[in-house]
């Protein structure tokens, strides 16, 4: 399935919005971008490598030649792209459970959005608005977002440990090594093939 | 700037696809066939443009109709959607695409309106920028590390796990000596290859840890 490349799932969804409502969404995203603590829940979900929301105005679809027919649309469109770990159901469930207020702020301006809770109509809505990926590439197919973050912590700890133990006696080295192991012990999970999705 | 988060750039491109009722294979179908034939691992074209974290290409057939009382409407063109997340600046990235994966880019984008080809790099960059749609909100969980740094860190993580596993109970002298050798080996290891399934590039330092099953 092209939506999936090993441990990462590519999701695309497009929803129509009345043109005057897009300014509300833009304002919300401006606030979300400016006040980092508001992104806390998104960061804590910790299974999204990258995500983006793109508003395409009804007159904003690129027209590259005279032969290309001019679009005549009534709605602006909100396109959502996500690169996440896990299955579609896990993702939508987690979104609904953890980010329901944030999601409602973003999508309540889209036509017929049912709200992110209860989850069943929310899933039906996403499924209707989603379209499939034709080609998907990831530079680290066996690594989840948590793996990436843990690996960087190990790398930093190793560099610190190397500096700290330069010129130390074997006994001092061993003592520092034990501290190093304690520091990194929670970050040594192994990357590998993705489990079979359900 | 919403297209960027830290050091990572999120590029969104919408390229209108040609329509030719006389073509034996429609352009959107030709794009899909080409995309289906492209490798998705270390042989992917995007692995050659090594600053690419994740990238996708999608043929967007139409907008969606969500039901009454909203209005039903349709696009007059189909669009090739290119979404990519990479390190550094846009011009450098597009230049690398033109130079390093030009034939693949041509093979896909030749089915789009107004595509000039990659021979004239500045025309190619100008075309892509005309097709660019500004990101409204961009989220990158790790936005201060390059692809190379991430792959190297994953390789380090696997190597450290194996080292710890193999050196339990060693004397202080042995441990210090082995660790110095380990660090040297790690520093001399070849640069990991993007897109390769595994914990990094060759040689992969496989871990043999058996969580919860050790006797």
């Amino acid at each position: 399935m092209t939506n999936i490349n090993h441990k990462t799932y590519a999701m695309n969804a497009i929803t129509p919005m009345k043109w005057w409502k897009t300014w509300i969404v833009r304002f919300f995203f401006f606030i979300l971008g400016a006040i980092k603590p508001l992104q806390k829940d998104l960061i804590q979900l910790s299974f999204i490598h990258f995500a983006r929301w793109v508003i395409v105005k009804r007159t904003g679809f690129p027209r590259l030649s005279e032969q290309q027919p001019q679009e005549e649309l009534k709605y602006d469109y909100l396109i959502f792209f996500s690169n996440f770990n896990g299955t579609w159901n896990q993702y939508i469930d987690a979104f609904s459970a953890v980010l329901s207020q944030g999601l409602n702020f973003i999508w309540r301006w889209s036509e017929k959005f049912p709200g992110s809770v209860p989850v069943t109509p929310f899933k039906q809505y996403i499924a209707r608005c989603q379209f499939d990926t034709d080609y998907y590439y990831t530079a680290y197919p066996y690594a989840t977002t948590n793996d990436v973050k843990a690996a960087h912590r190990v790398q930093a700890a190793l560099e610190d440990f190397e500096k700290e133990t330069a010129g130390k006696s074997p006994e001092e080295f061993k003592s520092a090594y034990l501290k190093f192991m304690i520091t990194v012990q929670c970050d040594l999970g192994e990357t590998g093939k993705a489990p079979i999705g359900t | 700037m919403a297209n960027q988060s830290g050091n990572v750039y999120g590029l969104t491109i919408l390229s209108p696809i040609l329509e030719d009722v006389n073509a034996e294979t429609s352009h959107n179908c030709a794009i899909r066939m080409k995309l289906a034939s492209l490798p998705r691992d270390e042989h992917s074209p995007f692995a050659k443009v090594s600053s690419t974290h994740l990238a996708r290409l999608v043929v967007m057939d139409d907008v969606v109709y969500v039901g009454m009382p909203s209005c039903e409407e349709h696009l007059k063109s189909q669009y090739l959607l290119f979404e990519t997340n990479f390190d550094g600046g846009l011009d450098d990235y597009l230049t690398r695409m033109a130079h390093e994966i030009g034939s693949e880019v041509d093979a896909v984008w030749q089915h789009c309106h107004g595509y000039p080809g990659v021979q004239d790099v500045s025309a190619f960059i100008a075309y892509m920028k005309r097709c660019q749609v500004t990101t409204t909100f961009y989220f990158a969980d790790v936005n201060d590390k390059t692809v190379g740094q991430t792959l190297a860190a994953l390789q380090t993580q696997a190597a450290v796990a194996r080292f710890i596993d193999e050196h339990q109970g060693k004397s202080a002298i042995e441990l210090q000596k082995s660790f110095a050798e380990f660090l040297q080996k790690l520093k001399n290891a070849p640069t990991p290859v993007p897109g390769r399934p595994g914990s990094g590039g060759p040689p992969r330092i496989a871990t043999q840890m058996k969580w919860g099953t050790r006797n």
Side-chain angles (χ1 to χ4, degrees), chain B residues 12-88:
Chain B
T12 312
I13 295 275
L14 276 173
S15 297
I17 298 171
L18 292 164
E19 180 135 4
D20 181 358
V21 290
N22 298 316
E24 192 172 321
T25 305
S26 64
H27 290 283
N28 70 316
C29 192
I31 291 175
R32 282 197 163 113
M33 286 163 65
K34 177 62 188 172
L35 294 178
S37 73
L38 288 178
R40 302 193 304 151
D41 53 12
E42 69 266 38
H43 304 295
S44 162
F46 293 103
K48 291 181 191 164
V49 186
S50 57
S51 55
T52 311
H53 288 267
L54 294 101
R56 76 182 75 178
L57 284 153
V58 182
V59 172
M60 192 169 89
D61 293 311
D62 203 352
V63 292
V64 298
Y65 171 58
V66 290
M68 288 289 283
S70 68
C71 300
E72 182 174 352
E73 61 181 5
H74 298 280
L75 294 173
K76 292 187 176 174
S77 297
Q78 293 167 309
Y79 290 83
L80 173 64
L81 225 161
F82 176 41
E83 184 255 7
T84 180
N85 308 272
F86 58 86
D87 304 316

Side-chain angles (χ1 to χ4, degrees), chain A residues 56-63 70-76:
Chain A
V56 185
K57 289 174 67 67
R58 64 197 189 287
T59 55
F61 282 84
R63 184 162 185 251
Q70 182 89 47
E71 300 292 354
E72 292 173 11
L73 298 169
K74 289 188 175 69
Y75 292 115
D76 290 353

Side-chain angles (χ1 to χ4, degrees), chain B residues 193-212:
Chain B
V193 176
R196 171 170 292 169
S199 48
R204 291 215 296 276
I205 304 172
T207 65
Q208 295 172 340
M209 302 191 78
K210 299 176 181 66
W211 300 103

Side-chain angles (χ1 to χ4, degrees), chain A residues 39 42-43 48-53, chain B residues 5 85 137-141:
Chain A
Q39 299 178 26
L42 201 57
I43 293 166
I48 303 168
H49 289 285
F50 301 98
R52 73 182 72 170
W53 285 265
Chain B
S5 172
N85 308 272
F137 182 76
Y138 185 40
F139 171 78
D141 200 32

Side-chain angles (χ1 to χ4, degrees), chain A residues 14-33:
Chain A
I14 184 167
T15 54
M17 283 184 299
K18 291 190 170 72
W19 66 269
W20 55 270
K21 291 182 178 178
T22 57
W23 293 105
I24 304 168
V25 183
R26 282 183 201 280
F27 179 70
F28 174 73
F29 280 129
F30 173 76
I31 297 293
L32 191 61

Side-chain angles (χ1 to χ4, degrees), chain A residues 25 61 64 85 100 102 132 135:
Chain A
V25 183
F61 282 84
L64 272 292
N85 309 127
S100 61
D132 288 325
Y135 179 80

Side-chain angles (χ1 to χ4, degrees), chain B residues 162-175:
Chain B
R162 186 177 183 188
F163 181 88
I164 290 173
D165 186 42
E166 290 176 347
H167 291 80
Q168 295 178 71
K170 294 278 169 74
S171 71
I173 293 173
E174 275 181 296
L175 193 62

